[in-house]
Short mmCIF file of all heavy atoms in Angstrom, two decimals:
data_model
loop_
_atom_site.label_atom_id
_atom_site.label_comp_id
_atom_site.label_asym_id
_atom_site.label_seq_id
_atom_site.Cartn_x
_atom_site.Cartn_y
_atom_site.Cartn_z
N ILE A 11 40.18 -11.21 -2.17
CA ILE A 11 40.15 -10.28 -3.32
C ILE A 11 38.75 -9.64 -3.32
O ILE A 11 37.76 -10.33 -3.63
CB ILE A 11 40.36 -10.97 -4.67
CG1 ILE A 11 41.45 -12.03 -4.56
CG2 ILE A 11 40.67 -9.99 -5.77
CD1 ILE A 11 42.84 -11.54 -4.42
N GLY A 12 38.69 -8.37 -3.06
CA GLY A 12 37.41 -7.71 -2.82
C GLY A 12 37.21 -7.62 -1.34
O GLY A 12 37.44 -8.58 -0.60
N LEU A 13 36.81 -6.43 -0.85
CA LEU A 13 36.67 -6.26 0.60
C LEU A 13 35.31 -5.68 0.93
O LEU A 13 35.16 -4.61 1.52
CB LEU A 13 37.77 -5.32 1.09
CG LEU A 13 39.19 -5.87 1.00
CD1 LEU A 13 40.25 -4.82 1.25
CD2 LEU A 13 39.38 -7.08 1.93
N GLY A 14 34.26 -6.39 0.52
CA GLY A 14 32.89 -5.96 0.80
C GLY A 14 32.31 -6.71 2.00
O GLY A 14 33.04 -7.16 2.88
N LEU A 15 30.98 -6.78 1.99
CA LEU A 15 30.26 -7.42 3.09
C LEU A 15 30.77 -8.85 3.37
O LEU A 15 31.01 -9.22 4.50
CB LEU A 15 28.76 -7.47 2.75
CG LEU A 15 27.88 -8.29 3.72
CD1 LEU A 15 27.80 -7.61 5.07
CD2 LEU A 15 26.51 -8.55 3.14
N ILE A 16 30.90 -9.64 2.30
CA ILE A 16 31.21 -11.05 2.49
C ILE A 16 32.70 -11.22 2.94
O ILE A 16 32.96 -11.92 3.96
CB ILE A 16 30.95 -11.86 1.21
CG1 ILE A 16 29.46 -11.73 0.79
CG2 ILE A 16 31.33 -13.34 1.39
CD1 ILE A 16 28.48 -12.28 1.80
N ALA A 17 33.60 -10.62 2.21
CA ALA A 17 35.03 -10.75 2.57
C ALA A 17 35.26 -10.18 3.95
O ALA A 17 35.96 -10.76 4.78
CB ALA A 17 35.91 -10.05 1.54
N GLY A 18 34.65 -9.03 4.24
CA GLY A 18 34.83 -8.41 5.54
C GLY A 18 34.33 -9.31 6.66
O GLY A 18 34.99 -9.48 7.69
N THR A 36 42.74 -7.15 -0.58
CA THR A 36 42.86 -6.09 -1.55
C THR A 36 41.49 -5.78 -2.16
O THR A 36 40.57 -6.62 -2.11
CB THR A 36 43.84 -6.49 -2.67
OG1 THR A 36 44.13 -5.30 -3.43
CG2 THR A 36 43.26 -7.54 -3.60
N ALA A 37 41.34 -4.57 -2.67
CA ALA A 37 40.10 -4.21 -3.37
C ALA A 37 40.45 -3.35 -4.56
O ALA A 37 41.62 -2.86 -4.66
CB ALA A 37 39.13 -3.48 -2.43
N ARG A 38 39.50 -3.11 -5.39
CA ARG A 38 39.74 -2.39 -6.63
C ARG A 38 40.20 -0.95 -6.38
O ARG A 38 41.20 -0.47 -6.88
CB ARG A 38 38.46 -2.38 -7.47
CG ARG A 38 38.53 -1.68 -8.76
CD ARG A 38 37.24 -1.76 -9.51
NE ARG A 38 36.10 -1.46 -8.59
CZ ARG A 38 34.83 -1.43 -8.97
NH1 ARG A 38 34.53 -1.72 -10.22
NH2 ARG A 38 33.90 -1.15 -8.11
N SER A 39 39.44 -0.23 -5.54
CA SER A 39 39.68 1.21 -5.40
C SER A 39 40.58 1.53 -4.20
O SER A 39 40.53 0.86 -3.17
CB SER A 39 38.36 1.95 -5.22
OG SER A 39 37.78 1.64 -3.99
N ALA A 40 41.33 2.59 -4.32
CA ALA A 40 42.20 3.06 -3.21
C ALA A 40 41.32 3.44 -2.02
O ALA A 40 41.71 3.24 -0.87
CB ALA A 40 43.02 4.25 -3.68
N ALA A 41 40.14 3.98 -2.28
CA ALA A 41 39.24 4.42 -1.20
C ALA A 41 38.86 3.22 -0.32
O ALA A 41 38.90 3.30 0.91
CB ALA A 41 38.01 5.09 -1.75
N THR A 42 38.47 2.14 -0.97
CA THR A 42 38.06 0.94 -0.21
C THR A 42 39.26 0.35 0.57
O THR A 42 39.12 -0.04 1.72
CB THR A 42 37.45 -0.11 -1.14
OG1 THR A 42 36.28 0.43 -1.71
CG2 THR A 42 37.14 -1.38 -0.41
N ARG A 43 40.40 0.34 -0.08
CA ARG A 43 41.56 -0.20 0.61
C ARG A 43 41.92 0.66 1.83
O ARG A 43 42.25 0.15 2.90
CB ARG A 43 42.78 -0.25 -0.35
CG ARG A 43 42.57 -1.26 -1.50
CD ARG A 43 43.85 -1.59 -2.26
NE ARG A 43 44.46 -0.42 -2.90
CZ ARG A 43 44.25 -0.05 -4.16
NH1 ARG A 43 43.42 -0.74 -4.95
NH2 ARG A 43 44.84 1.04 -4.64
N ALA A 59 45.72 -7.57 -6.68
CA ALA A 59 45.33 -8.92 -6.43
C ALA A 59 46.52 -9.85 -6.59
O ALA A 59 46.69 -10.84 -5.82
CB ALA A 59 44.22 -9.32 -7.37
N ILE A 71 37.94 -15.22 -3.99
CA ILE A 71 37.48 -14.12 -4.85
C ILE A 71 36.12 -13.67 -4.34
O ILE A 71 35.16 -14.45 -4.38
CB ILE A 71 37.40 -14.55 -6.32
CG1 ILE A 71 38.77 -15.16 -6.78
CG2 ILE A 71 37.04 -13.33 -7.20
CD1 ILE A 71 38.79 -15.55 -8.26
N ALA A 72 36.05 -12.46 -3.87
CA ALA A 72 34.82 -11.92 -3.25
C ALA A 72 34.39 -10.62 -3.89
O ALA A 72 33.99 -9.69 -3.21
CB ALA A 72 35.03 -11.79 -1.73
N THR A 73 34.51 -10.56 -5.19
CA THR A 73 34.07 -9.40 -5.97
C THR A 73 32.68 -9.71 -6.54
O THR A 73 32.21 -10.83 -6.43
CB THR A 73 35.01 -9.16 -7.15
OG1 THR A 73 34.91 -10.32 -8.04
CG2 THR A 73 36.47 -9.08 -6.69
N PRO A 74 32.05 -8.73 -7.18
CA PRO A 74 30.83 -9.07 -7.94
C PRO A 74 31.12 -10.17 -8.95
O PRO A 74 32.24 -10.24 -9.46
CB PRO A 74 30.45 -7.75 -8.61
CG PRO A 74 31.03 -6.70 -7.73
CD PRO A 74 32.30 -7.30 -7.20
N VAL A 75 30.14 -11.02 -9.27
CA VAL A 75 30.41 -12.16 -10.12
C VAL A 75 30.86 -11.78 -11.54
O VAL A 75 31.62 -12.51 -12.18
CB VAL A 75 29.21 -13.15 -10.18
CG1 VAL A 75 28.90 -13.72 -8.82
CG2 VAL A 75 28.00 -12.48 -10.76
N GLY A 76 30.44 -10.62 -12.02
CA GLY A 76 30.77 -10.23 -13.39
C GLY A 76 32.25 -10.03 -13.65
O GLY A 76 32.70 -10.12 -14.80
N VAL A 77 33.06 -9.79 -12.62
CA VAL A 77 34.49 -9.56 -12.86
C VAL A 77 35.36 -10.73 -12.38
O VAL A 77 36.57 -10.65 -12.41
CB VAL A 77 34.97 -8.24 -12.19
CG1 VAL A 77 34.24 -7.06 -12.77
CG2 VAL A 77 34.82 -8.30 -10.68
N MET A 78 34.72 -11.80 -11.93
CA MET A 78 35.51 -12.90 -11.36
C MET A 78 36.44 -13.57 -12.37
O MET A 78 37.56 -13.94 -12.04
CB MET A 78 34.60 -13.93 -10.70
CG MET A 78 34.00 -13.44 -9.38
SD MET A 78 33.08 -14.73 -8.50
CE MET A 78 32.69 -13.86 -6.97
N ALA A 80 37.92 -12.13 -14.93
CA ALA A 80 39.04 -11.19 -15.11
C ALA A 80 40.01 -11.26 -13.94
O ALA A 80 41.21 -11.25 -14.10
CB ALA A 80 38.52 -9.78 -15.31
N VAL A 81 39.44 -11.34 -12.72
CA VAL A 81 40.28 -11.44 -11.53
C VAL A 81 41.11 -12.72 -11.59
O VAL A 81 42.31 -12.75 -11.31
CB VAL A 81 39.43 -11.37 -10.24
CG1 VAL A 81 40.27 -11.77 -9.01
CG2 VAL A 81 38.82 -10.00 -10.06
N GLN A 84 44.01 -12.44 -13.82
CA GLN A 84 45.04 -11.59 -13.24
C GLN A 84 45.89 -12.35 -12.21
O GLN A 84 47.12 -12.14 -12.17
CB GLN A 84 44.31 -10.49 -12.46
CG GLN A 84 44.51 -9.08 -12.93
CD GLN A 84 43.61 -8.18 -12.08
OE1 GLN A 84 42.38 -8.16 -12.26
NE2 GLN A 84 44.18 -7.49 -11.13
N ASP A 97 35.58 -19.00 -4.41
CA ASP A 97 34.91 -17.72 -4.62
C ASP A 97 33.62 -17.76 -3.77
O ASP A 97 33.32 -18.80 -3.19
CB ASP A 97 34.55 -17.51 -6.11
CG ASP A 97 33.37 -18.37 -6.49
OD1 ASP A 97 33.53 -19.62 -6.55
OD2 ASP A 97 32.26 -17.83 -6.73
N VAL A 98 32.96 -16.65 -3.67
CA VAL A 98 31.73 -16.57 -2.85
C VAL A 98 30.54 -16.10 -3.70
O VAL A 98 29.53 -15.64 -3.16
CB VAL A 98 31.91 -15.65 -1.62
CG1 VAL A 98 32.98 -16.20 -0.69
CG2 VAL A 98 32.28 -14.23 -2.10
N GLY A 99 30.67 -16.20 -5.02
CA GLY A 99 29.66 -15.65 -5.91
C GLY A 99 28.29 -16.28 -5.77
O GLY A 99 28.17 -17.46 -5.48
N SER A 100 27.27 -15.48 -5.99
CA SER A 100 25.87 -15.92 -5.84
C SER A 100 25.43 -16.80 -7.02
O SER A 100 24.31 -17.35 -6.96
CB SER A 100 24.96 -14.71 -5.72
OG SER A 100 25.42 -13.86 -4.68
N VAL A 101 26.19 -16.86 -8.06
CA VAL A 101 25.86 -17.69 -9.24
C VAL A 101 27.05 -18.63 -9.43
O VAL A 101 28.21 -18.23 -9.20
CB VAL A 101 25.67 -16.79 -10.49
CG1 VAL A 101 25.46 -17.64 -11.73
CG2 VAL A 101 24.49 -15.86 -10.27
N VAL A 105 30.21 -18.54 -13.28
CA VAL A 105 31.44 -18.17 -12.59
C VAL A 105 32.51 -19.29 -12.78
O VAL A 105 33.67 -19.01 -13.04
CB VAL A 105 31.14 -17.92 -11.10
CG1 VAL A 105 32.43 -18.01 -10.28
CG2 VAL A 105 30.46 -16.57 -10.93
N GLY A 122 32.34 -21.73 -4.01
CA GLY A 122 31.44 -21.71 -2.84
C GLY A 122 30.43 -20.58 -2.91
O GLY A 122 30.55 -19.69 -3.73
N HIS A 123 29.46 -20.66 -2.04
CA HIS A 123 28.44 -19.59 -1.94
C HIS A 123 27.79 -19.61 -0.57
O HIS A 123 26.96 -20.47 -0.28
CB HIS A 123 27.38 -19.77 -3.01
CG HIS A 123 26.29 -18.72 -2.94
ND1 HIS A 123 25.03 -18.92 -3.46
CD2 HIS A 123 26.27 -17.47 -2.40
CE1 HIS A 123 24.31 -17.85 -3.26
NE2 HIS A 123 25.03 -16.95 -2.59
N PRO A 124 28.18 -18.69 0.29
CA PRO A 124 27.50 -18.59 1.60
C PRO A 124 26.12 -17.95 1.45
O PRO A 124 25.99 -16.88 0.87
CB PRO A 124 28.45 -17.66 2.40
CG PRO A 124 29.10 -16.81 1.37
CD PRO A 124 29.18 -17.63 0.12
N LEU A 125 25.10 -18.62 1.95
CA LEU A 125 23.72 -18.10 1.86
C LEU A 125 23.46 -17.20 3.05
O LEU A 125 22.73 -17.52 3.96
CB LEU A 125 22.73 -19.23 1.83
CG LEU A 125 22.92 -20.32 0.77
CD1 LEU A 125 21.75 -21.27 0.75
CD2 LEU A 125 23.11 -19.70 -0.61
N ALA A 126 24.08 -16.05 2.99
CA ALA A 126 23.97 -15.09 4.10
C ALA A 126 24.28 -13.73 3.52
O ALA A 126 25.13 -13.59 2.67
CB ALA A 126 24.98 -15.41 5.17
N GLY A 127 23.55 -12.77 3.98
CA GLY A 127 23.81 -11.43 3.47
C GLY A 127 22.94 -10.43 4.17
O GLY A 127 22.04 -10.80 4.93
N THR A 128 23.17 -9.18 3.95
CA THR A 128 22.27 -8.12 4.39
C THR A 128 22.17 -7.17 3.21
O THR A 128 22.78 -7.42 2.16
CB THR A 128 22.86 -7.32 5.58
OG1 THR A 128 23.92 -6.47 5.12
CG2 THR A 128 23.42 -8.25 6.64
N GLU A 129 21.41 -6.11 3.34
CA GLU A 129 21.30 -5.16 2.23
C GLU A 129 22.46 -4.15 2.22
O GLU A 129 22.51 -3.28 1.36
CB GLU A 129 19.95 -4.43 2.29
CG GLU A 129 19.76 -3.54 3.53
CD GLU A 129 19.24 -4.28 4.75
OE1 GLU A 129 19.52 -5.50 4.86
OE2 GLU A 129 18.61 -3.67 5.62
N HIS A 130 23.41 -4.30 3.14
CA HIS A 130 24.52 -3.36 3.19
C HIS A 130 25.70 -3.90 2.42
O HIS A 130 25.83 -5.08 2.19
CB HIS A 130 24.87 -3.08 4.67
CG HIS A 130 23.73 -2.48 5.43
ND1 HIS A 130 23.24 -1.22 5.16
CD2 HIS A 130 22.97 -3.00 6.41
CE1 HIS A 130 22.21 -0.97 5.97
NE2 HIS A 130 22.03 -2.04 6.74
N SER A 131 26.65 -3.00 2.05
CA SER A 131 27.82 -3.44 1.34
C SER A 131 29.00 -2.59 1.76
O SER A 131 28.88 -1.62 2.48
CB SER A 131 27.61 -3.39 -0.15
OG SER A 131 27.17 -2.13 -0.57
N GLY A 132 30.19 -2.93 1.26
CA GLY A 132 31.40 -2.17 1.57
C GLY A 132 32.15 -2.74 2.74
O GLY A 132 31.65 -3.59 3.48
N PRO A 133 33.41 -2.26 2.93
CA PRO A 133 34.31 -2.86 3.94
C PRO A 133 33.83 -2.66 5.37
O PRO A 133 34.22 -3.42 6.26
CB PRO A 133 35.63 -2.10 3.73
CG PRO A 133 35.30 -0.91 2.90
CD PRO A 133 34.05 -1.22 2.15
N SER A 135 30.69 -2.98 6.35
CA SER A 135 29.42 -3.64 6.62
C SER A 135 29.56 -5.07 7.20
O SER A 135 28.59 -5.64 7.68
CB SER A 135 28.62 -3.72 5.31
OG SER A 135 29.34 -4.45 4.34
N LEU A 140 27.82 -13.05 10.71
CA LEU A 140 26.98 -13.13 9.48
C LEU A 140 26.66 -14.57 9.07
O LEU A 140 25.56 -14.86 8.64
CB LEU A 140 27.66 -12.39 8.31
CG LEU A 140 26.87 -12.42 6.97
CD1 LEU A 140 25.54 -11.70 7.10
CD2 LEU A 140 27.69 -11.78 5.84
N PHE A 141 27.65 -15.45 9.20
CA PHE A 141 27.45 -16.80 8.64
C PHE A 141 26.89 -17.81 9.66
O PHE A 141 26.65 -18.96 9.34
CB PHE A 141 28.79 -17.32 8.10
CG PHE A 141 29.43 -16.37 7.16
CD1 PHE A 141 30.63 -15.73 7.48
CD2 PHE A 141 28.81 -16.06 5.95
CE1 PHE A 141 31.21 -14.84 6.60
CE2 PHE A 141 29.40 -15.13 5.08
CZ PHE A 141 30.62 -14.53 5.40
N HIS A 193 14.25 -11.33 -5.43
CA HIS A 193 14.89 -10.00 -5.47
C HIS A 193 14.37 -9.19 -6.66
O HIS A 193 14.07 -8.01 -6.54
CB HIS A 193 16.39 -10.15 -5.54
CG HIS A 193 17.06 -10.11 -4.21
ND1 HIS A 193 17.20 -11.22 -3.41
CD2 HIS A 193 17.62 -9.10 -3.48
CE1 HIS A 193 17.80 -10.91 -2.29
NE2 HIS A 193 18.06 -9.63 -2.29
N SER A 231 19.52 -3.57 -1.92
CA SER A 231 20.80 -4.29 -2.07
C SER A 231 21.63 -3.67 -3.19
O SER A 231 21.12 -2.91 -4.03
CB SER A 231 20.52 -5.76 -2.37
OG SER A 231 19.72 -6.33 -1.34
N ASP A 232 22.87 -4.04 -3.22
CA ASP A 232 23.82 -3.45 -4.14
C ASP A 232 23.45 -3.68 -5.60
O ASP A 232 23.34 -4.80 -6.09
CB ASP A 232 25.24 -4.01 -3.87
CG ASP A 232 26.28 -3.33 -4.69
OD1 ASP A 232 26.45 -2.10 -4.48
OD2 ASP A 232 26.89 -3.97 -5.56
N THR A 234 25.18 -3.29 -8.43
CA THR A 234 26.20 -3.99 -9.25
C THR A 234 26.12 -5.48 -9.04
O THR A 234 26.08 -6.28 -9.97
CB THR A 234 27.60 -3.49 -8.91
OG1 THR A 234 27.65 -2.09 -9.05
CG2 THR A 234 28.63 -4.14 -9.81
N MET A 235 26.08 -5.85 -7.77
CA MET A 235 25.99 -7.28 -7.44
C MET A 235 24.80 -7.90 -8.13
O MET A 235 24.88 -8.94 -8.77
CB MET A 235 25.88 -7.47 -5.93
CG MET A 235 25.45 -8.91 -5.55
SD MET A 235 25.33 -9.18 -3.79
CE MET A 235 24.25 -10.62 -3.77
N TRP A 236 23.63 -7.24 -8.04
CA TRP A 236 22.40 -7.85 -8.54
C TRP A 236 22.32 -7.82 -10.07
O TRP A 236 21.79 -8.73 -10.68
CB TRP A 236 21.18 -7.27 -7.85
CG TRP A 236 21.09 -7.87 -6.49
CD1 TRP A 236 21.49 -7.31 -5.30
CD2 TRP A 236 20.70 -9.21 -6.15
NE1 TRP A 236 21.35 -8.22 -4.28
CE2 TRP A 236 20.86 -9.41 -4.78
CE3 TRP A 236 20.19 -10.29 -6.93
CZ2 TRP A 236 20.54 -10.58 -4.14
CZ3 TRP A 236 19.88 -11.46 -6.30
CH2 TRP A 236 20.04 -11.60 -4.91
N ASP A 238 24.80 -8.22 -11.98
CA ASP A 238 25.66 -9.35 -12.38
C ASP A 238 24.94 -10.70 -12.12
O ASP A 238 25.07 -11.62 -12.93
CB ASP A 238 26.98 -9.30 -11.61
CG ASP A 238 27.91 -8.24 -12.15
OD1 ASP A 238 27.48 -7.49 -13.02
OD2 ASP A 238 29.06 -8.20 -11.69
N VAL A 239 24.24 -10.77 -11.03
CA VAL A 239 23.53 -12.02 -10.73
C VAL A 239 22.53 -12.36 -11.84
O VAL A 239 22.47 -13.48 -12.36
CB VAL A 239 22.80 -11.93 -9.36
CG1 VAL A 239 21.78 -13.07 -9.21
CG2 VAL A 239 23.81 -11.99 -8.22
N ALA B 220 17.87 -14.49 2.90
CA ALA B 220 17.13 -13.24 2.65
C ALA B 220 16.44 -13.36 1.29
O ALA B 220 16.87 -14.08 0.42
CB ALA B 220 18.06 -12.09 2.64
N1 LIG C 401 25.79 -9.32 -0.24
C1 LIG C 401 25.18 -10.50 -0.21
O1 LIG C 401 24.06 -10.60 0.24
C2 LIG C 401 25.91 -11.71 -0.77
C3 LIG C 401 25.57 -13.01 -0.26
C4 LIG C 401 26.24 -14.12 -0.74
C5 LIG C 401 27.19 -13.95 -1.77
N2 LIG C 401 27.47 -12.72 -2.27
C6 LIG C 401 28.47 -12.61 -3.33
O2 LIG C 401 29.62 -12.13 -2.74
C7 LIG C 401 30.37 -11.31 -3.67
C8 LIG C 401 30.71 -10.01 -2.98
O3 LIG C 401 29.54 -9.41 -2.51
P1 LIG C 401 29.59 -8.30 -1.36
O4 LIG C 401 28.18 -8.08 -0.94
O5 LIG C 401 30.61 -8.61 -0.38
O6 LIG C 401 30.03 -7.07 -2.28
P2 LIG C 401 30.39 -5.57 -1.93
O7 LIG C 401 30.16 -5.28 -0.47
O8 LIG C 401 29.74 -4.72 -2.94
O9 LIG C 401 32.00 -5.59 -2.20
C9 LIG C 401 32.54 -5.94 -3.44
C10 LIG C 401 34.05 -5.78 -3.35
O10 LIG C 401 34.66 -6.22 -4.55
C11 LIG C 401 35.63 -5.24 -4.93
N3 LIG C 401 35.91 -5.29 -6.35
C12 LIG C 401 35.03 -4.98 -7.36
N4 LIG C 401 35.64 -5.20 -8.57
C13 LIG C 401 36.92 -5.60 -8.29
C14 LIG C 401 38.04 -5.96 -9.08
N5 LIG C 401 37.97 -5.94 -10.41
N6 LIG C 401 39.18 -6.32 -8.42
C15 LIG C 401 39.24 -6.35 -7.09
N7 LIG C 401 38.22 -6.04 -6.28
C16 LIG C 401 37.06 -5.65 -6.88
C17 LIG C 401 35.05 -3.95 -4.47
O11 LIG C 401 36.02 -2.98 -4.40
P3 LIG C 401 35.61 -1.41 -4.52
O12 LIG C 401 34.91 -1.09 -3.23
O13 LIG C 401 36.95 -0.75 -4.58
O14 LIG C 401 34.79 -1.26 -5.73
C18 LIG C 401 34.49 -4.34 -3.09
O15 LIG C 401 35.52 -4.34 -2.16
C19 LIG C 401 29.47 -11.18 -4.88
O16 LIG C 401 29.93 -12.06 -5.90
C20 LIG C 401 28.10 -11.64 -4.42
O17 LIG C 401 27.41 -12.26 -5.48
C21 LIG C 401 26.87 -11.62 -1.76
#
Side-chain angles (χ1 to χ4, degrees):
Chain A
I11 321 287
L13 294 169
L15 172 69
I16 301 298
T36 191
R38 181 179 47 179
S39 70
T42 296
R43 295 193 300 267
I71 308 183
T73 65
V75 297
V77 299
M78 286 187 175
V81 168
Q84 243 175 285
D97 75 291
V98 296
S100 306
V101 175
V105 162
H123 178 204
L125 305 188
T128 74
E129 65 276 27
H130 300 294
S131 55
S135 59
L140 180 63
F141 308 114
H193 267 84
S231 304
D232 186 63
T234 304
M235 166 180 160
W236 284 100
D238 285 7
V239 165

